[in-house]
């Protein structure tokens, strides 16, 4: 029988358990592996969400063209009863039953129609990368209505009110022949971050206290919005961006190309028609855009402002390069 004092000299003695140093080493290695693994998992999840977002926009693009095939025009951005292009597209998004639930003897913002939208969130209207979906009736995808003040306040995008407003802006329905810049060079739908009552700078609609009235002031308007102190200025509570998707008014379901993606959005001293409504997303570096030909491309925040404005008009005659 071996004595304890002899154990260290014998091959028959076996040490059990781990020392503190060994335990700490294992914990450290596990920590390093987790630190390496978590970002990779997050990136994989975001890649999947971004793919789904692209798929949603592509379905919207197909629905737009299905509507175009049926009526020879794009769905109006602000149709009868103030309904949005989203409502007009429902039958082409396999949502014909939902389309039949609305009462278009009432306006789009009527409580009855808003509640229908709240109870029936349409999956293709929601980007999975945006966690702010506090209730139904919201959309992350909105139609391009032009460049705002940059073209005398007119709706120069693919989507416009079906009637003229104040005898100065509107445009009616848009046919393919009206898109002289080419459908592949004209934005149709883009992402936005849902407002939802949030005071986050890129989700909210801010109210500039000084108004700008002509295209020569366009750069001053966008600069004033960029430089706005969101801690001191007024949040515009009249509409929320992305809600409800039944409403065709610009803050809810349209955006414009006054400023590049992922910048602040501001009313022009309460004039919601000539305001700045930017595209935006939580995807790193930019936002996805569905073009008039139903293709989807990613646009970086760093795009040149004049190029972005040119892509927002259907018949401006501008020459655009790769971006």
């Amino acid at each position: 029988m071996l004595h304890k004092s002899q154990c260290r000299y014998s091959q028959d003695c076996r040490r059990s358990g781990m020392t503190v140093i060994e335990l700490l080493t294992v914990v450290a290695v596990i920590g390093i592996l987790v630190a390496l693994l978590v970002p990779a998992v997050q990136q994989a999840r975001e890649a999947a969400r971004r793919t789904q977002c692209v798929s949603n926009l592509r379905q919207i693009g197909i629905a737009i063209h299905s509507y175009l095939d049926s009526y020879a025009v794009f769905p109006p951005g602000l149709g009868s009863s103030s309904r949005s292009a989203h409502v007009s597209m429902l039958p082409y998004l396999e949502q014909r039953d939902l389309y039949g639930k609305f009462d278009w003897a009432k306006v789009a913002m009527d409580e009855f129609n808003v509640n229908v939208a709240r109870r029936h969130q349409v999956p293709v209207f929601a980007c999975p990368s945006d966690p702010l979906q506090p209730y139904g009736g919201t959309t992350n995808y909105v139609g391009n209505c032009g460049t705002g003040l940059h073209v005398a306040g007119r709706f120069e995008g693919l989507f416009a009110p079906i009637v003229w407003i104040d005898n100065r802006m509107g445009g009616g329905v848009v046919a393919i022949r009206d898109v002289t810049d080419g459908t592949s060079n004209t934005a149709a739908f883009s992402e936005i971050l849902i407002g939802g009552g949030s005071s986050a700078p890129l989700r909210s609609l801010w109210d500039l206290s000084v108004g700008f009235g002509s295209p020569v002031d366009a750069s001053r308007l966008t600069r004033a919005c960029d430089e706005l102190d969101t801690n001191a200025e007024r949040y515009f509570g009249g509409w929320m961006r992305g809600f409800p998707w039944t409403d065709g008014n610009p803050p809810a379901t349209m955006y414009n190309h006054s400023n590049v993606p992922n910048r602040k959005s501001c009313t022009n001293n309460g004039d919601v028609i000539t305001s700045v409504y930017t595209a935006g997303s939580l995807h790193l570096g930019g936002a996805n855009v569905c073009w008039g030909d139903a293709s989807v491309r990613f646009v970086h925040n760093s795009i040149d402002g004049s190029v972005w404005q040119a892509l927002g008009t259907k018949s401006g005659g501008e020459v655009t390069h790769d971006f």
Side-chain angles (χ1 to χ4, degrees):
M1 183 176 181
L2 295 171
H3 295 285
K4 290 181 181 180
S5 59
Q6 297 174 300
C7 257
R8 54 182 165 177
Y9 305 113
S10 172
Q11 295 180 350
D12 295 326
C13 291
R14 298 289 184 270
R15 185 177 60 185
S16 62
M18 301 175 63
T19 66
V20 173
I21 294 176
E22 290 172 331
L23 180 60
L24 292 175
T25 300
V26 171
V27 170
V29 171
I30 293 173
I32 292 171
L33 292 175
V34 170
L36 293 172
L37 182 61
V38 169
V41 171
Q42 291 175 336
Q43 290 176 5
R45 288 177 175 172
E46 172 53 23
R49 290 191 291 262
R50 183 167 165 175
T51 299
Q52 182 60 53
C53 184
V54 169
S55 175
N56 290 346
L57 278 168
R58 188 169 289 117
Q59 289 182 65
I60 288 172
I62 293 171
I64 292 169
H65 277 266
S66 296
Y67 184 97
L68 182 66
D69 290 341
S70 297
Y71 298 99
V73 293
F74 290 97
L78 181 67
S80 59
S81 303
S82 298
R83 73 181 79 176
S84 66
H86 298 64
V87 173
S88 299
M89 289 189 295
L90 287 177
Y92 307 99
L93 292 169
E94 300 182 349
Q95 297 289 337
R96 188 173 296 276
D97 288 344
L98 175 56
Y99 182 82
K101 294 181 185 296
F102 292 100
D103 182 357
W104 294 118
K106 300 179 172 66
V107 296
M109 283 296 288
D110 184 86
E111 184 178 1
F112 177 87
N113 287 327
V114 173
N115 284 336
V116 170
R118 279 178 166 162
R119 292 194 300 269
H120 301 87
Q121 182 69 24
V122 180
V124 76
F125 289 164
C127 175
S129 291
D130 187 357
L132 190 58
Q133 310 254 352
Y135 38 74
T138 57
T139 181
N140 284 106
Y141 309 114
V142 293
N144 163 35
C145 63
T147 56
L149 191 62
H150 289 268
V151 189
R154 294 187 181 276
F155 291 80
E156 293 292 329
L158 286 186
F159 301 95
I162 199 170
V163 297
W164 288 84
I165 300 173
D166 298 337
N167 294 320
R168 63 190 176 103
M169 56 196 69
V173 292
V174 177
I176 282 287
R177 65 177 178 274
D178 300 317
V179 191
T180 56
D181 289 348
T183 54
S184 63
N185 294 318
T186 306
F189 264 65
S190 185
E191 299 180 81
I192 63 166
L193 293 174
I194 291 172
S198 169
S199 60
L202 299 186
R203 290 186 182 276
S204 300
L205 182 58
W206 304 95
D207 194 12
L208 292 175
S209 56
V210 177
F212 301 88
S214 68
V216 296
D217 289 331
S219 60
R220 293 173 57 202
L221 171 64
T222 53
R223 185 168 61 250
C225 187
D226 270 341
E227 297 174 353
L228 184 77
D229 181 359
T230 56
N231 292 317
E233 292 296 331
R234 299 172 294 173
Y235 169 73
F236 186 76
W239 281 280
M240 286 188 291
R241 302 207 70 199
F243 175 83
W245 55 256
T246 55
D247 182 22
N249 282 290
T253 55
M254 286 194 277
Y255 80 104
N256 64 29
H257 284 237
S258 289
N259 208 353
V260 298
N262 287 306
R263 300 290 184 89
K264 291 191 287 289
S265 297
C266 305
T267 68
N268 186 12
N269 193 25
D271 185 350
V272 297
I273 296 175
T274 60
S275 300
V276 178
Y277 304 115
T278 60
S281 78
L282 293 180
H283 307 308
L284 183 62
N288 290 304
V289 176
C290 174
W291 302 90
D293 61 355
S295 65
V296 179
R297 284 175 280 168
F298 189 78
V299 176
H300 292 276
N301 300 332
S302 58
I303 186 173
D304 181 81
S306 61
V307 173
W308 180 241
Q309 289 161 20
L311 293 168
T313 62
K314 64 183 181 295
S315 55
E318 310 95 338
V319 177
T320 57
H321 304 285
D322 292 337
F323 55 92

